Amino acid sequence: MKTQTSKVMGGHVLLTVFTLFMLCSGVRAQLNPDIYAKSCPSLVQIVRNQVSIAMNAEKRIAASLIRLHFHDCFVNGCDASILLDGTDSEKLAIPNVNSVRGFEVIDTIKAAVEKACPGVVSCADILTLAARDSVCLSGGPRWRVALGRKDGLVANQNSANNLPSPFEPLDSIIAKFVAVGLNTTDVVALSGAHTFGQAKCDLFSNRLFNFTGAGTPDVTLETSLLSNLRSVCPVGGNGNITAPFDPNSVDAFDNNYFKNLLQGKGLLSSDQILFSSDLAVNTTKSLVEAYSRSQYLFFRDFTCSMIRMGNIANGASGEVRRNCRVINN
């Protein structure tokens, strides 16, 4: 029997299955890490290999896959509805259009899985596995992913337009997490995924010049970072230009994100308010401080939050799509 202890292996924190189930509540009974053990035994290795190939081509794709999974689970549950094309596609929602990326990677993984195990593995499970692999292949924690999700039959563009926004106050963001069964710890831990990847100027340039309408920048933004970001994102500049969330370790999954927040170096307003806003004092600030001190604690709570998010259910029937972009005929 495996113990409750955690181990550090190859730079990764590996939490035992028993420990995770003790720490992380809300696991759906119908999901099982071994559900494809006989029907698709090579699944985990196929997904891992394809994510590795994609990351070798572009390191940034790791952060994009996490974001894709997040934006999927917050709308209709984790049912791969974000992958569907069509007039009501969630891809066309304001938070996603010309922003969310990684669809072609999921297509490639799905094709490889279908070649090995046709008609067995859902796109929702593939996306969940790919998000996990993007973390551990970037130096973050590893965990076993509970599997058995079905692919949704409909997209929901209206709900996708109500995803948590980088422009919202902290209480609104917390409320949106609570609405899908998550909590304040999940807000902070999952925000830690901004320890790697990049964001477009359009998502934070409001902080640089006229944040309050009085012609001044966001006072919580550290001055040297403010100067650097102004050069990247000048007034009237290209809003699609990107800047890294963590310039010191752009592609590494670590706890530097939280160290940055303590110094006023959060890129998005929704990042910095976790530490600097008035509401943070009694909600999120202590967690930011704790994660800045302990990467192990961050990795542990992030893992639990990913498990909880990955188990958000839509309560509807589904299928195993043959093509992740369209429902089966």
Side-chain angles (χ1 to χ4, degrees):
M1 178 177 176
K2 293 183 177 179
T3 68
Q4 294 186 50
T5 59
S6 59
K7 303 175 183 178
V8 177
M9 306 180 74
H12 301 289
V13 174
L14 176 62
L15 297 167
T16 65
V17 175
F18 182 76
T19 302
L20 286 174
F21 276 85
M22 292 297 290
L23 290 172
C24 309
S25 60
V27 176
R28 284 158 57 193
Q30 66 268 36
L31 299 183
N32 182 340
D34 299 315
I35 198 167
Y36 300 119
K38 293 183 179 179
S39 58
C40 194
S42 58
L43 170 64
V44 171
Q45 192 59 50
I46 291 172
V47 176
R48 177 72 58 88
N49 288 345
Q50 292 298 324
V51 172
S52 179
I53 290 169
M55 287 177 60
N56 285 337
E58 183 199 23
K59 289 292 186 183
R60 182 187 171 197
I61 199 64
S64 297
L65 290 172
I66 280 280
R67 186 165 182 250
L68 189 59
H69 180 50
F70 179 98
H71 282 219
D72 179 46
C73 291
F74 267 68
V75 179
N76 294 349
C78 306
D79 67 346
S81 58
I82 196 170
L83 305 179
L84 289 170
D85 291 334
T87 56
D88 194 42
S89 175
E90 293 165 27
K91 299 175 185 179
L92 303 178
I94 293 171
N96 295 334
V97 66
N98 297 321
S99 177
V100 172
R101 319 165 61 243
F103 300 108
E104 293 79 8
V105 175
I106 300 301
D107 289 341
T108 299
I109 299 172
K110 176 64 171 175
V113 171
E114 284 294 300
K115 184 176 180 180
C117 321
V120 174
V121 183
S122 68
C123 300
D125 278 344
I126 287 172
L127 178 53
T128 306
L129 283 167
R132 185 276 308 272
D133 289 342
S134 74
V135 171
C136 65
L137 290 174
S138 299
R142 292 184 290 171
W143 64 94
R144 295 190 76 198
V145 174
L147 301 168
R149 297 165 189 79
K150 296 299 183 182
D151 296 324
L153 302 177
V154 295
N156 191 333
Q157 190 177 128
N158 284 336
S159 291
N161 277 319
N162 197 39
L163 284 161
S165 163
F167 308 109
E168 288 185 295
L170 183 55
D171 56 347
S172 296
I173 293 172
I174 291 173
K176 289 183 177 181
F177 274 68
V178 171
V180 295
L182 301 178
N183 59 37
T184 302
T185 298
D186 298 318
V187 172
V188 183
L190 291 174
S191 293
H194 286 175
T195 192
F196 63 172
Q198 303 179 41
K200 293 183 177 182
C201 291
D202 277 345
L203 297 181
F204 59 84
S205 59
N206 65 309
R207 305 181 67 201
L208 306 183
F209 301 99
N210 189 24
F211 186 60
T212 62
T216 57
D218 185 345
V219 296
T220 67
L221 187 56
E222 192 269 338
T223 55
S224 64
L225 179 60
L226 171 62
S227 178
N228 291 338
L229 293 177
R230 280 177 164 177
S231 67
V232 174
C233 309
V235 174
N238 184 350
N240 290 318
I241 298 295
T242 62
F245 282 106
D246 178 12
N248 295 320
S249 56
V250 177
D251 299 313
F253 195 96
D254 52 33
N255 70 331
N256 281 347
Y257 167 82
F258 298 102
K259 296 177 182 180
N260 290 338
L261 297 187
L262 268 59
Q263 301 174 49
K265 294 183 178 181
L267 184 61
L268 306 181
S269 175
S270 56
D271 294 324
Q272 196 58 49
I273 58 175
L274 298 175
F275 180 76
S276 299
S277 66
D278 291 340
L279 184 59
V281 174
N282 295 315
T283 55
T284 57
K285 184 176 182 178
S286 61
L287 278 170
V288 171
E289 293 171 331
Y291 295 158
S292 73
R293 293 189 298 266
S294 173
Q295 182 163 278
Y296 168 77
L297 180 63
F298 165 49
F299 280 9
R300 187 199 71 180
D301 285 2
F302 178 82
T303 296
C304 287
S305 293
M306 286 293 288
I307 290 172
R308 282 194 287 265
M309 184 177 75
N311 285 284
I312 298 173
N314 63 3
S317 59
E319 62 182 9
V320 174
R321 287 182 217 140
R322 291 185 292 271
N323 178 340
C324 291
R325 293 175 179 265
V326 295
I327 62 172
N328 298 335
N329 294 325

